[in-house]
Amino acid sequence: MLVPDVRGDAEAQGLQLGLSDNPFEARLRFYARRATEVFAIWEGVFNENDRLVRVLGSQAANPWVGTTIMDWEGASEHADALAIAPYFGGPLGSPDTQDEVAAWSVEQLLTASSTHMDEVLATAETSVSDAQDRGLVLIAYEAGQHLTAYGNAVNNDNLTELFLAGNRDPGMGALYSDYLNGWKDAGGQLMVMFNYVDHYTKWGSWGLLEFQNQAIEAAPKYQSTMEFVNQQSQWW
C-alpha cells in the first residue's frame, strides 16, 4: 500500500500558491488554509458549531509552528483547540549518545527523563498562552514517555533493555504522576495517552499496559494514569 506524503504535498502546494518562499512555512500556511476549509465543510453539515471541536495540529517543541498556523488567514478564528504531542525522553534515544546512555542505571535514566519532562512542560506553557491569546485551548493528541532509540541506536540491545526496564520501574509511575499534574498546572486540557496496551520492543514501550490482563501493580504507567483520572473531576 502506498502511503501518501501528506507533509510533502502540503509543502508543494504551499510553495505553488506562493504562501511563502520558505518551504516549511509554506507547508504550515497551506495546512492552516486547508484545515479552515475542512472545518467549514463540517460546519455546513452540522449547521452549528456546538457539536464540533475543531482542532489545529502543531508541534510541542516549537511554539512558533502553532502561532504560524493559528495566525495564517485567521485560522484560529475558525478553530477551538490547538493540539500538540508533548512526549518526554525522546532525545535519550539519540545515536550520538547511545553508548553513554546505555551504561546508565535505571535511576539515572529516570532522572534524565524527568529533566526533559520539565523542559517539555515549560514549552507547553508557552503554547497554552499562545492558544489562549487567540481564544483556543491547548490539548495533547498524543502524550507519554518516548524512551525509544532511533537511527543505528535502535539495534543497541543494552539501550533497549535499559529503556524497557525504565518503563517497568515504579519510578516511571512517579514520573507519570508529575507529568499529568504538570500538564494540568500548565493549563493544558484533554491529554490522550499513547497508548492503552502494547508489548514493549526496541521500537518503543508505548502501552500503559504490556498486555490486556497485566497485573496493575506491575504496570506503573497505567496505575499512575488511572489514579490521576480517579482523583479529580475534569478540570476544564
Side-chain angles (χ1 to χ4, degrees), residues 176-189:
Y176 263 54
S177 180
D178 291 343
Y179 181 56
L180 291 163
N181 282 289
W183 173 258
K184 173 187 173 183
D185 293 343
Q189 297 196 5

Side-chain angles (χ1 to χ4, degrees), residues 169-230:
D169 192 90
M172 181 60 77
L175 277 186
Y176 263 54
S177 180
D178 291 343
Y179 181 56
L180 291 163
N181 282 289
W183 173 258
K184 173 187 173 183
D185 293 343
Q189 297 196 5
L190 175 71
M191 175 178 262
V192 180
M193 305 302 288
F194 187 83
N195 58 18
Y196 169 48
V197 57
D198 197 2
H199 62 286
Y200 296 174
T201 72
K202 67 180 182 180
W203 306 112
S205 304
W206 305 115
L208 293 177
L209 294 173
E210 295 187 57
F211 46 92
Q212 180 61 53
N213 59 342
Q214 184 178 15
I216 302 305
E217 58 270 19
K221 293 185 295 187
Y222 180 86
Q223 190 171 15
S224 291
T225 300
M226 294 311 299
E227 285 177 356
F228 176 81
V229 171
N230 293 329

Side-chain angles (χ1 to χ4, degrees), residues 2 13 32 42 45 60 64 69-70 88 96 104 121 127 129 132 137 148-149 151 165 174 176 202 229:
L2 293 177
Q13 294 203 52
W42 283 87
V45 171
W64 172 84
I69 291 170
M70 290 187 289
F88 67 90
D96 296 336
W104 284 355
L121 291 174
S127 293
S129 179
Q132 290 178 344
V137 299
T148 309
Y176 263 54
K202 67 180 182 180
V229 171

Side-chain angles (χ1 to χ4, degrees), residues 13-232:
Q13 294 203 52
L15 290 170
Q16 183 178 5
L17 291 168
L19 303 186
S20 175
D21 293 331
N22 180 287
F24 187 52
E25 186 174 57
R27 177 198 305 178
L28 299 179
R29 288 178 172 178
F30 177 78
Y31 164 71
R33 174 180 291 182
R34 186 61 184 141
T36 301
E37 292 171 350
V38 172
F39 295 158
I41 294 172
W42 283 87
E43 292 163 7
V45 171
F46 282 83
N47 199 31
E48 58 179 302
N49 295 340
D50 292 345
R51 295 169 61 193
L52 300 175
V53 179
R54 300 159 298 176
V55 180
L56 293 168
S58 185
Q59 292 182 348
N62 188 355
W64 172 84
V65 170
T67 57
T68 299
I69 291 170
M70 290 187 289
D71 291 345
W72 184 247
E73 298 179 336
S76 63
E77 299 173 10
H78 304 277
D80 304 295
L82 182 71
I84 61 174
Y87 285 106
F88 67 90
L92 301 177
S94 171
D96 296 336
T97 58
Q98 59 177 304
D99 293 331
E100 175 190 353
V101 175
W104 284 355
S105 65
V106 169
E107 183 178 2
Q108 288 175 300
L109 175 69
L110 295 176
T111 297
S113 297
S114 179
T115 298
H116 186 245
M117 178 186 71
D118 290 340
E119 295 171 0
V120 168
L121 291 174
T123 304
E125 285 191 57
T126 299
S127 293
V128 167
S129 179
D130 291 340
Q132 290 178 344
D133 286 346
R134 294 158 176 82
L136 307 185
V137 299
L138 186 72
I139 63 176
Y141 65 85
E142 290 179 16
Q145 61 74 41
H146 202 296
L147 294 177
T148 309
Y150 56 92
N152 62 23
V154 76
N155 291 317
N156 187 322
D157 293 339
N158 291 331
L159 188 61
T160 294
E161 289 305 313
L162 176 65
F163 286 170
L164 268 57
N167 271 275
R168 293 169 176 147
D169 192 90
M172 181 60 77
L175 277 186
Y176 263 54
S177 180
D178 291 343
Y179 181 56
L180 291 163
N181 282 289
W183 173 258
K184 173 187 173 183
D185 293 343
Q189 297 196 5
L190 175 71
M191 175 178 262
V192 180
M193 305 302 288
F194 187 83
N195 58 18
Y196 169 48
V197 57
D198 197 2
H199 62 286
Y200 296 174
T201 72
K202 67 180 182 180
W203 306 112
S205 304
W206 305 115
L208 293 177
L209 294 173
E210 295 187 57
F211 46 92
Q212 180 61 53
N213 59 342
Q214 184 178 15
I216 302 305
E217 58 270 19
K221 293 185 295 187
Y222 180 86
Q223 190 171 15
S224 291
T225 300
M226 294 311 299
E227 285 177 356
F228 176 81
V229 171
N230 293 329
Q231 287 174 359
Q232 61 201 312

